Amino acid sequence: MHTLRPVYLDEEHFATGPSVAILDQTQLPHTHITLYLTELNLIYEAIKSLRVRGAPAIGIAAALGIYVHMKHTAPANIDAFISAFESARAYLASSRPTAVNLTWALNRMAGTIKDHASTTVPNILLALRETALAILNEDTNVCRSIGEHGAQLLKPGMGILTHCNAGTLAASQYGTALAPIYIAHERGMSLRVYADETRPLLQGARLTAYELRMAGVDTTLICDNMAADVMQKGLVDIVFVGCDRVAANGDTANKIGTLGVAILAKNFNIPCYVCVPFSTIDTQTITGADIEIEQRNPREVTQMWYEKDMAPKNVKVYNPAFDVTPAAYITGYITENGVLKPPF
Ligand code: MRU
């Protein structure tokens, strides 16, 4: 494995207290900058603008972020502490509405406060630190287990297509959709990965191609509209994608473009697996139609990455960050507890 660390708790950078260390993914692959954040509005901004991104990593950043914020600003009185925590929780939860790991992690932090509300503020802070670090460390183990289960579906020489980035950079170490590839690669299996570039924010080109190559995995970058072609040519044996939220009926929200990949895979009889920690399964959301989809700035489509505007001024732009793949297109869900298939 490589040594990329997308998000962690730093307790040495500032003498004044802890910070959330974030590898700024907007600068990758060519520039490595680690941000050390303590202020709530900067932690919000880092999540909103995808400096840290990917469902598990967003949850980890929010958990560490709210701990760091409370540590630096903690009111001495418990009631004031709880009310400050609640407003910080609502603020961070609003940064990216689709990824359920964000609210899952913040709710877990809130549960810790509830469990320690009869003690003192210093005790609550210790417990918050412990929970935030548990969320980080559990992610590594969960993703490794997803990798173990997913690796059983792989055979030497297979071609795998993936969309967006659901690798190390999207979590704490192995990622989800790339975890089976990393595990199989660690065991010496040769595989070929096709990475969709993933318009408009290019997570496939900038992040997936980068981290897979760094790990020595045979990786070919393709534009999103080339997926049908590589599938038709028989170059793809299996599709692995991540997800931001799985509804109770199995419908899955993931990076915009995943729906198209899943439809293509079904057309070409290629199995399409969603790699998903249980923390991303939201049984409160009944179907995919109930998942809130984040809409993003039109400039990501018209201007970002280009030297000049590439579209007519003020053209209408549709820029949802995610789409929903109906369960019928998904062969199975690779979780830390094994591969789930319908009926659930
Ligand atoms: O907008 P992003 O880059 O945060 O979107 C990321 C994805 O869609 C990932 O596939 C998903 O979060 C799973 S990451 C393990």
Side-chain angles (χ1 to χ4, degrees), residues 7-72:
V7 52
Y8 60 94
L9 180 67
D10 182 278
E11 293 178 311
E12 287 164 13
H13 191 77
F14 296 119
T16 47
S19 61
V20 190
I22 284 173
L23 174 61
D24 186 351
Q25 297 189 32
T26 64
Q27 304 298 310
L28 292 176
H30 301 300
T31 308
H32 277 234
I33 297 175
T34 298
L35 308 170
Y36 297 91
L37 306 177
T38 58
E39 287 174 36
L40 193 66
N41 62 331
L42 295 182
I43 295 162
Y44 173 98
E45 192 278 335
I47 297 173
K48 177 92 193 158
S49 60
L50 276 65
R51 296 184 198 287
V52 57
R53 33 74 42 214
I58 294 173
I60 295 164
L64 295 175
I66 205 160
Y67 158 65
V68 165
H69 165 69
M70 295 311 296
K71 175 85 179 161
H72 281 274

Side-chain angles (χ1 to χ4, degrees), residues 50 53-56 96 164-166 170 176 203 242-244 254-255 322:
L50 276 65
R53 33 74 42 214
R96 297 207 65 195
C164 193
N165 173 265
T176 59
Q203 288 93 333
C243 55
D244 278 72
N254 191 47
K255 179 53 54 195
F322 304 98

Side-chain angles (χ1 to χ4, degrees), residues 62-63 66 85 88-89 92-93 101-111:
I66 205 160
F85 176 89
R89 166 159 81 137
L92 286 182
N101 295 63
L102 181 61
T103 37
W104 170 85
L106 289 168
N107 290 347
R108 203 163 146 187
M109 296 296 277

